Amino acid sequence: MEKIFETQNVEQTEKLGAAVGKLLSEGDFLALTGDLGAGKTAFTRGIARGLGIDDAITSPTFTLINEYHDSVTLAHMDVYRLKNLEELQNIGFDDYLKGYIVVMEWADKVKEMLPVEVLWIDFRVVGDSLRQLKFTSNSPYYDKIVQELSV
Ligand SMILES: Nc1ncnc2c1ncn2[C@@H]1O[C@H](COP(=O)(O)OP(=O)(O)OP(=O)(O)O)[C@@H](O)[C@H]1O
Ligand SMILES: [Mg+2]
């Protein structure tokens, strides 16, 4: 299923992220795609807040993966600068597929490596501070999460 949300500022994007975060559990995988500066990291900041994680969320552009350990563990990945799939394998990508909530920015770059079931969220810059977030789910599990989102 597909569902489109619009946000009018960064706070709304974070709020939507927090609403999603509240519905997530370990083993879940969110694949974020879309324009540079469209709000993927801001959204992830909201997810962390929804999960009850208090740490400051910074972009993992250079580190590839940032981990946040709380009552759940969030792995925030950004594969924008990834050179090849081996590099992702080498940092132990497979180990993150169990026991973590994974949020990956630029996930379309590594499609071949993703679990079969993921929740895709595509970010589009519509205006100065207007963003469109398109949720695409390919499983009953993620359908339910998208359906439960009332913002
Ligand atoms: N509606 C909005 N939602 C999110 N961010 C917004 C919005 N309007 C303006 N912004 C601004 O856009 C920028 C989004 O930055 P952010 O780092 O979250 O993007 P990103 O998609 O993670 O970029 P990158 O691809 O470089 O990682 C911020 O400067 C934020 O203040
Ligand atoms: Mg980012």
Side-chain angles (χ1 to χ4, degrees):
M1 71 174 291
E2 232 176 68
K3 196 165 177 180
I4 293 175
F5 294 88
E6 264 185 8
T7 66
Q8 289 173 350
N9 51 51
V10 66
E11 289 79 20
Q12 284 184 7
T13 297
E14 285 188 23
K15 197 173 163 209
L16 180 58
V20 173
K22 288 196 172 74
L23 301 173
L24 298 177
S25 351
E26 284 174 348
D28 289 355
F29 198 110
L30 301 196
L32 313 188
T33 62
D35 306 326
L36 268 171
K40 300 180 292 297
T41 298
F43 181 79
T44 307
R45 198 163 282 138
I47 288 181
R49 200 176 79 211
L51 291 170
I53 294 171
D54 288 331
D55 306 68
I57 303 298
T58 55
S59 176
T61 305
F62 295 97
T63 49
L64 278 180
I65 302 179
N66 288 340
E67 287 185 36
Y68 302 93
H69 297 267
D70 210 279
S71 57
V72 292
T73 305
L74 172 68
H76 180 199
M77 307 183 181
D78 184 337
V79 294
Y80 183 69
R81 281 167 195 278
L82 195 79
K83 291 185 195 67
N84 49 51
L85 296 179
E86 288 69 47
E87 198 185 343
L88 191 57
Q89 245 143 22
N90 291 341
I91 55 173
F93 174 71
D94 292 341
D95 298 337
Y96 289 95
L97 300 180
K98 268 190 192 146
Y100 289 79
I101 290 165
V102 182
V103 178
M104 179 189 273
E105 299 188 34
W106 296 96
D108 45 333
K109 285 193 67 181
V110 299
K111 250 188 195 139
E112 304 92 319
M113 306 235 339
L114 304 184
V116 182
E117 290 186 7
V118 302
L119 177 57
W120 288 99
I121 308 173
D122 188 54
F123 291 68
R124 220 156 60 79
V125 176
V126 183
D128 269 355
S129 68
L130 192 61
R131 304 289 189 266
Q132 214 171 64
L133 281 70
K134 186 170 86 182
F135 288 60
T136 306
S137 149
N138 55 9
S139 70
Y141 177 77
Y142 289 116
D143 281 353
K144 186 158 180 280
I145 288 178
V146 176
Q147 271 158 6
E148 279 174 23
L149 272 180
S150 47
V151 184

